[in-house]
Amino acid sequence: MRLSWRSVTSLAAAVACLASLLGATASPPAYGAGSERTFTLAPLAGGTDLPNPLRGQYRWLGAEPTPATATSNDVYYRDQVYWGRIEKADNAWDFSLIEAGLAEAGARGGKFGFRVMAYCPGCWMESRADFPPVTPSFVPRQSGGYLPDWNSPAFLSQWKELMAELGRRYGDDPRLGYVDVGGYGSYGEWHVDAGARISDANGLAVVHAVATAFPTKHVLINTMTPVPFTLKALKAHGNLGLRTDSLGCPDMYSMVPADVRLQEVWRTRPFFSEWCTRADPVLGAQQVRRFHVSTLSSGNMPWDHSTLTDRQRSAYVKALATAGYRIRLRSMTMPDAFAGGGRIAVRTAWANQGTAPTYDAWDVRLTFVHAATGRSVTRSLGQQLKGLVATSTRSVMVRTSGLPAGRYDVFVSVVDPSGYSVPMHLANAGRSASGAYRVGGVKVR
């Protein structure tokens, strides 16, 4: 039997009416709620620095932030923590410099990252008799006695042992944000200009040792590796992201511009960088946006900021301001009056004005502060921001139990669930000393 459009419409209306009579509801009610109101929050100026962890500029080689108005709380070590310095003899550990880096980042409220180099040709420490060699004496060498024997079972075993010890000590430290894979190649950058190269199987074993030693941290592999190898490593380890050491140089001297699959990795995993020694700040700013770079450093910066042209200086500042996540709460919608003891619908609208999402868990929290007594009640809106790009809208039912009648000021904050990092700096004006942002006022009946 075929029904006309008018018959179908009438039937649907009858079903809806019957459901209404039987008390059916499509979603839980917002008990005692009055009319909804949308509160909007003022934005910050576009170039205002947001000193959040694992975004923007990090400290490396003791370089102060450039320009001085930029905040740089994250800390990165490489020269300080090469293999021969933290393990002078087999199992003779010296982690004092790892501890120093963690302490420095912790004092700033930032995150620490490091790379262990096994080979550093031409580096300063190799010419100093008072410093141990980069490659420990117990690591086997290739013929000629200088290059590590990358494919030796002994090299792989010692590397795995080193990473396991580092992971055991620091894998759960909230101050540690990420670890470069390092290990193989000149400067730990996964390229060599002499001797035998590592096999794919052994290269994957080097990556595996780091990724499994730090399963809850971001682990980064340098993108000078061949694309098929990098894709295999990424597939094998969900915590593995990317790094390039040549921001501002052509194609960043990396394989990312050559493959669209690598260009999509940023959606779920971080891409960190540093300025190339011959960097063009205009090109670098374009690359930050195009390839969704989260962090960069001035440690290798080849020019003095004061000598840049206006165009170059503007591009450099833009690169710092937009690298990584830059999240703004556009609005929050909720009833402007409601009864306590029930639930209300709260909708949030967000915008990420940066180049990449945050890859960590942040809890969005709503706090009601009684205008007369100052008593506060906080409710979680959940982890709404992980992976946010462009814009999004979220809706959550919030319990209103514990809210006596009266007027309330409503605040929102974005909190690190571990309690280590301060609440996220949003691209909104009006941040309080506690890291919260006032949304508006409501009434509880």
Side-chain angles (χ1 to χ4, degrees), residues 365-390:
R365 295 181 183 175
L366 199 63
T367 299
F368 299 88
V369 180
H370 197 284
T373 67
R375 182 176 178 270
S376 64
V377 173
T378 299
R379 295 285 183 262
S380 172
L381 301 184
Q383 295 179 9
Q384 301 187 350
L385 304 182
K386 187 175 182 179
L388 169 66
V389 297

Side-chain angles (χ1 to χ4, degrees), residues 153-170:
F155 171 84
L156 298 172
S157 175
Q158 291 286 355
W159 178 255
K160 181 179 179 181
E161 182 180 69
L162 169 66
M163 288 300 121
E165 183 65 19
L166 284 166
R168 184 183 69 80
R169 291 171 179 261
Y170 306 114

Side-chain angles (χ1 to χ4, degrees), residues 111-404:
K111 294 282 190 175
F112 179 59
F114 69 93
R115 176 197 300 174
V116 176
M117 299 183 294
Y119 175 57
C120 197
C123 291
W124 63 271
M125 68 286 288
E126 294 284 47
S127 63
R128 293 274 299 268
D130 54 334
F131 278 80
V134 174
T135 308
S137 59
F138 57 85
V139 171
R141 310 293 184 108
Q142 295 184 37
S143 176
Y146 185 62
L147 283 153
D149 187 355
W150 313 112
N151 293 302
S152 164
F155 171 84
L156 298 172
S157 175
Q158 291 286 355
W159 178 255
K160 181 179 179 181
E161 182 180 69
L162 169 66
M163 288 300 121
E165 183 65 19
L166 284 166
R168 184 183 69 80
R169 291 171 179 261
Y170 306 114
D172 295 324
D173 195 316
R175 298 171 296 176
L176 180 62
Y178 65 98
V179 181
D180 280 0
V181 170
Y184 170 64
S186 300
Y187 327 113
E189 293 179 358
W190 285 74
H191 63 86
V192 293
D193 54 10
R197 288 161 172 73
I198 200 167
S199 69
D200 281 2
N202 291 334
L204 290 172
V206 170
V207 176
H208 180 78
V210 186
T212 55
F214 298 94
T216 64
K217 303 297 182 182
H218 302 298
V219 176
L220 310 174
I221 187 168
N222 201 287
T223 52
M224 296 183 76
T225 51
V227 170
F229 175 86
T230 308
L231 293 173
K232 285 181 183 178
L234 290 166
K235 183 178 180 180
H237 301 288
N239 61 331
L240 187 65
L242 302 178
R243 179 185 178 91
T244 180
D245 293 335
S246 299
L247 183 72
C249 279
D251 286 340
M252 304 177 293
Y253 298 151
S254 80
M255 298 305 297
V256 173
D259 191 271
V260 294
R261 292 165 295 183
L262 294 182
Q263 293 168 24
E264 291 296 306
V265 169
W266 69 273
R267 294 188 179 278
T268 56
R269 314 179 194 201
F271 185 16
F272 290 3
S273 190
E274 69 190 45
W275 289 101
C276 178
T277 54
R278 296 181 296 278
D280 171 11
V282 175
L283 177 59
Q286 294 168 353
Q287 291 168 340
V288 166
R289 173 62 63 179
R290 178 185 174 191
F291 299 112
H292 306 278
V293 175
S294 285
T295 65
L296 42 88
S297 167
S298 294
N300 253 3
M301 192 170 66
W303 16 255
D304 186 286
H305 188 259
S306 63
T307 66
L308 299 177
T309 66
D310 289 344
R311 180 168 180 256
Q312 290 173 325
R313 189 177 296 112
S314 175
Y316 182 76
V317 171
K318 183 177 181 180
L320 293 182
T322 60
Y325 58 97
R326 186 181 180 85
I327 296 173
R328 177 169 69 92
L329 178 59
R330 296 188 298 161
S331 65
M332 180 176 291
T333 301
M334 60 189 300
D336 57 6
F338 53 87
R343 291 187 298 168
I344 58 172
V346 177
R347 294 196 305 276
T348 50
W350 302 92
N352 185 354
Q353 302 168 332
T355 60
T358 175
Y359 302 95
D360 296 318
W362 293 86
D363 188 29
V364 180
R365 295 181 183 175
L366 199 63
T367 299
F368 299 88
V369 180
H370 197 284
T373 67
R375 182 176 178 270
S376 64
V377 173
T378 299
R379 295 285 183 262
S380 172
L381 301 184
Q383 295 179 9
Q384 301 187 350
L385 304 182
K386 187 175 182 179
L388 169 66
V389 297
T391 61
S392 74
T393 303
R394 304 294 179 93
S395 183
V396 178
M397 299 299 295
V398 174
R399 293 182 294 107
T400 62
S401 56
L403 293 175

Side-chain angles (χ1 to χ4, degrees), residues 2 7 18 32 35-37 158 201 207 251 390 410:
R2 298 183 61 186
S7 298
L18 179 60
S35 60
E36 284 192 334
R37 180 179 175 186
Q158 291 286 355
V207 176
D251 286 340
V410 182

